[in-house]
Structure formats: C-alpha cells, structure tokens
C-alpha cells in the first residue's frame, strides 16, 4: 500500500471493521449462495464433527450441514447478530488474532474471505497460525482469499497490479425506486430521498502461490489447493502440536 | 448463546489459553432464556462424546440447574424403544434450548469478564490486553 507505516491493527479498525459494521445488513442481503468447494468441504464432514467458522459474516455457511456443530465468530457484532439465526450452531464476536477457543481441539475450521483483510504479511500469517492452532492433529482448515488474478471479473485486476487495494462497496439508496417519467427506459431509475453511499474496504489481493506460502510459513501443511471464481483457496492441516 | 457453546469457549488471551483455569469460563449474573427448537436425537448422540463432561457439570452447578449424571450418558441411555429417552430430551433442553441471554463470562485464570448481550458473547479484548 502507499504508506506501509499505516498498516496494522488501527488501519484495519478503520478500513475493515468499521466498514463491515456499517454495511452489515446490506452486505448480508447479497451473500446467500454457498460456493461449491466450501459446500462440499462442509457436506463431507462426519456427523458430530465440531468446528469453527472464523469470520462467519452473515452465517451463510452455518446453514449447509445441520449434523455438525459450528461455533461461528465475526469481528462485526452486527453481522454476528444476523448469523445467530442458524440452528443448531452458535455465534460469538471475536478477533481472528485472539480467538476464544482451546488450542488443538477442533475437527475443522473454515475462514472464508477473511485473511485478506489483514494489512501486513506478518498479521496475515498470524491469522492463519491462529486458525490452524485451534485444530486437533487430524483437523482441516479451508481458507479462501481474494485473488489478484481475476482478469475475467468486472474488477479486472491482473498479475501486474498493486496487491493492497481499497475496494468500494456501494450501498444503494434505501427508499423505493421511482422512474422519473413513464417514458424512461428501465435502467434510468432515479432513487429519491436517499443517495447512494460508498464505503471502501481494505483488501490484500493474493498472488498465485502466496496463500500456500503463508500456510507453510507458520508450519502448516497444504492438503489441497486451487482457484475458484476470483479466489485462491487451500485446505490446510496444522503443524505438530506445540 | 446456547449452553452447548460454552463447552467450546475459553479465554481469548493467549497467555490464558494454555492454562487449565481458563476453561470453562464461569457465568456471572447470567439471565437464562429457554428457546424451543426441534430436537435432533442423532445430533445429541453424536455431540455427547465430544463434550468435556466435567465442564458441563461445573456449568450446570454454577447456573443452579439440576445436577447432571456423574458420567456422560451412554448411547443406550439416550433411547427407549427407538424413541428419544427422557435423558435425551433433558440434554436437548439443556444444551440446545437453554441460552444465556445476558450476563458475563469470567476467566478463572485472569478474571477478565466478557459481556454477553442479546445472546451474543463478545470476546474482543481491550487494547492493553492484546
């Protein structure tokens, strides 16, 4: 990013945490369809498995498998409130770097679109270490991060681009849409009363191989890894218990 | 938060996690609520072996709830003639339907108190504790 000195905890507070707190409800209404690889990972768990969804957002992945027990956590209390509805699971407010769970205890963890919000390599690795530390020796974590290589997306980023970016979130005016005149084409809708508001969230866009490198840097092992729809993902297992 | 959750929570401070006194957390000024949910007998059966039963017993005692059996109930005790037994129903009520709506969770090691509001526990640490 432009000014490296800015990165860190306070930076994330302003450019990640506060933004999600404000856009929680609107963000949640756009996040309902589980991605296939994540759905498969959760469906394949044996019944009675115990796990974590770290950075669970609105809890859309809590709905996938009712035969396992998941403690979801999110840094945003507004998102955690929305996630609370999914039985039989539970939700708490927590920071990925200070998770309230016993070490070496859980069968699985997922952390979807979370680690890329930490603003230094050191903090991202600490987050991955934090996830892997919750797992029992045979446990598995599925981690998803946004890719730099998303040439086919409307954002169009590719290999040569800056990896630390601010991504806009546009919250549309909340009043009912009214067409200005009967003749207006449907795409010229004017929203009366409330104007659009744009929020900017910080992201670190991962390069090919970078997620695997971060997992290995904290002693984790890669079980499987790949690319899906503008994201790099990895299934990792923990290092030997300390 | 349902009582089952407490079996999977400890103090968020790194210095406490490896200390046995940080688990389980101790409820304080807890207001309980019963929320009826559909029973899934298989879920109860599957989850039981994963529970730290001593921690469950400590929790029910501290909340002033009826005492739990000394040992984790066996599979046979969970069903009568193929139907969920009273033991299974009681466990469903305790683990899945009984919820701490508000109050505090206290670490037995550092004595830090985490607030529970509207059924959600908040484990964010003040900056001087991180």
């Amino acid at each position: 990013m432009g000014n490296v000195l800015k990165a860190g905890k306070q930076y994330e507070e302003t450019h990640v945490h506060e933004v999600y707190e404000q856009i929680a409800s609107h963000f949640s209404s756009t996040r309902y369809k589980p991605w296939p690889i994540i759905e498969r990972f959760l469906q394949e768990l044996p019944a009675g498995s115990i796990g974590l969804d770290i950075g669970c957002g609105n809890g859309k992945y809590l709905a996938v498998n009712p035969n396992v027990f998941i403690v979801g956590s999110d840094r945003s209390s507004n998102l955690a409130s929305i996630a609370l509805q999914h039985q039989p699971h539970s939700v708490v407010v927590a920071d990925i770097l200070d998770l309230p769970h016993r070490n070496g205890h859980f069968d699985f963890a997922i952390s979807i679109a979370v680690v890329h919000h930490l603003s230094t390599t050191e903090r991202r690795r600490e987050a991955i270490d934090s996830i892997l530390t919750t797992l029992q020796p045979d446990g598995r974590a599925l981690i998803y991060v946004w890719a730099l290589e998303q040439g086919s997306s409307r954002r169009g980023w590719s290999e040569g681009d800056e990896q630390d970016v601010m991504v806009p979130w546009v919250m549309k005016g909340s009043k009912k849409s009214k067409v200005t005149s009967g003749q207006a084409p449907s795409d010229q809708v004017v929203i009366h009363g409330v104007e659009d508001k744009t929020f900017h969230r910080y992201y670190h866009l991962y390069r090919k191989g970078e997620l695997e490198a971060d997992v290995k840097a904290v002693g984790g092992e890669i079980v499987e890894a790949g690319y899906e729809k503008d994201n790099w993902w990895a299934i990792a297992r923990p290092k030997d218990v300390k | 938060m349902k009582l089952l959750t407490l079996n999977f929570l400890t103090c968020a401070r790194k210095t406490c996690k490896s200390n046995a006194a940080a688990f389980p957390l101790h409820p304080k000024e807890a207001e309980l609520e019963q929320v009826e949910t559909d029973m899934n007998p298989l879920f109860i059966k599957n989850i039981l072996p994963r529970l730290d039963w001593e921690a469950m017993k400590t929790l029910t005692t501290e909340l002033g709830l009826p005492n739990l059996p000394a040992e984790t109930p066996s599979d046979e005790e969970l069903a009568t003639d193929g139907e969920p037994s009273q033991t299974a129903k009681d466990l469903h009520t305790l683990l899945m339907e009984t919820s701490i709506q508000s109050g505090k969770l206290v670490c037995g090691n550092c004595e830090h108190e985490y607030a529970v509001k509207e059924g959600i526990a908040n484990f964010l640490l003040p900056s001087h504790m991180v």
Side-chain angles (χ1 to χ4, degrees):
Chain A
M1 85 189 45
N3 184 349
V4 175
L5 292 173
K6 278 203 250 161
K9 187 179 166 57
Q10 202 55 49
Y11 184 86
E12 290 154 20
E13 181 68 40
T14 308
H15 298 289
V16 179
H17 305 150
E18 285 178 14
V19 176
Y20 275 109
E21 201 68 351
Q22 293 184 69
I23 69 174
S25 168
H26 181 238
F27 176 81
S28 174
S29 68
T30 64
R31 296 287 184 282
Y32 47 86
K33 201 167 179 252
W35 289 341
I37 289 170
I38 306 168
E39 197 169 15
R40 189 198 75 194
F41 178 84
L42 291 169
Q43 292 290 11
E44 285 175 0
L45 295 164
S49 297
I50 308 286
L52 304 171
D53 183 349
I54 298 164
C56 66
N58 68 353
K60 71 172 175 176
Y61 292 108
L62 300 179
V64 172
N65 187 345
N67 301 315
V68 301
F69 181 63
I70 304 177
V71 182
S73 57
D74 204 275
R75 189 71 179 57
S76 159
S77 56
N78 286 342
L79 284 171
S81 302
I82 296 169
L84 199 58
Q85 59 179 306
H86 299 288
Q87 292 296 340
H89 312 291
S90 271
V91 180
V92 299
V93 174
D95 191 298
I96 192 168
L97 300 183
D98 295 291
L99 290 172
H101 307 292
R102 282 190 287 174
N103 297 340
H105 197 72
F106 295 87
D107 304 319
F108 68 96
I110 61 171
S111 191
I112 310 302
V114 177
V115 173
H116 56 211
H117 283 312
L118 289 118
S119 56
T120 65
T121 303
E122 192 185 26
R123 289 171 66 79
R124 287 187 290 275
R125 288 181 175 178
E126 196 184 335
I128 292 169
D129 188 31
S130 185
I131 297 166
L132 295 180
T133 303
T134 65
L135 297 176
Q136 49 112 330
D138 292 326
R140 297 283 187 274
L142 174 59
I143 302 168
Y144 259 71
V145 290
W146 234 6
L148 178 63
E149 302 84 350
Q150 28 181 311
S152 60
S153 86
R154 65 186 159 82
R155 293 166 294 267
W157 295 308
S158 63
E159 280 163 59
D161 287 330
E162 172 65 41
Q163 284 184 270
D164 295 286
V165 296
M166 301 302 287
V167 180
W169 178 273
V170 181
M171 194 137 75
K172 295 285 180 194
S174 61
K175 292 256 175 87
K176 258 190 184 171
S177 305
K178 286 179 190 165
V179 178
T180 44
S181 85
Q183 310 303 315
S186 60
D187 60 343
Q188 288 182 1
V189 173
V190 175
I191 297 167
H192 292 286
V194 182
E195 289 181 5
D196 286 3
K197 198 169 175 194
T198 304
F199 297 87
H200 293 273
R201 289 164 299 163
Y202 165 80
Y203 278 82
H204 175 80
L205 304 173
Y206 268 75
R207 263 180 209 292
K208 183 178 187 181
E210 188 178 357
L211 177 60
E212 287 97 316
D214 281 358
V215 168
K216 287 173 190 161
V218 296
E221 280 176 39
I222 299 291
V223 178
E224 208 183 333
Y227 179 91
E228 187 199 24
K229 272 193 200 166
D230 308 328
N231 288 271
W232 293 109
W233 61 270
I235 296 174
R237 50 176 297 175
K239 57 192 159 186
D240 294 330
V241 180
K242 286 170 228 171
Chain B
M1 59 189 288
K2 56 178 76 75
L3 297 190
L4 173 63
T5 320
L6 277 166
N7 215 267
F8 301 103
L9 294 174
T10 178
C11 187
R13 299 176 77 177
K14 290 181 182 68
T15 45
C16 285
K17 276 198 192 180
S18 52
N19 193 304
F23 177 84
L25 297 170
H26 306 285
K28 186 178 164 188
E29 296 156 18
E31 289 201 21
L32 299 184
E33 194 180 77
Q34 294 291 130
V35 186
E36 222 171 280
T37 63
D38 291 337
M39 183 174 178
N40 177 349
L42 195 59
F43 182 85
I44 297 290
K45 183 184 155 188
N46 285 331
I47 217 87
L48 271 193
R50 302 306 310 276
L51 292 185
D52 185 316
W53 195 248
E54 288 306 313
M56 279 314 306
K57 288 199 288 185
T58 306
L59 178 65
T60 51
T61 306
E62 290 179 0
L63 289 172
L65 297 170
N67 283 337
L68 287 172
E71 306 289 337
T72 308
S74 64
D75 285 358
E76 294 73 46
E77 291 171 83
L78 296 177
T80 326
D81 304 326
E83 291 296 310
S85 65
Q86 192 58 45
T87 304
K89 288 176 189 165
D90 289 347
L91 283 170
H92 172 72
T93 303
L94 177 74
L95 300 172
M96 310 306 291
E97 297 189 324
T98 309
S99 162
I100 298 183
Q101 207 46 32
S102 69
K104 293 173 179 121
L105 299 172
V106 186
C107 172
N109 191 47
C110 72
E111 297 180 357
H112 184 65
E113 296 181 348
Y114 297 96
V116 183
K117 286 178 190 158
E118 293 172 10
I120 300 181
N122 187 327
F123 287 94
L124 299 183
L125 294 166
S127 53
H128 69 273
M129 282 190 172
V130 176

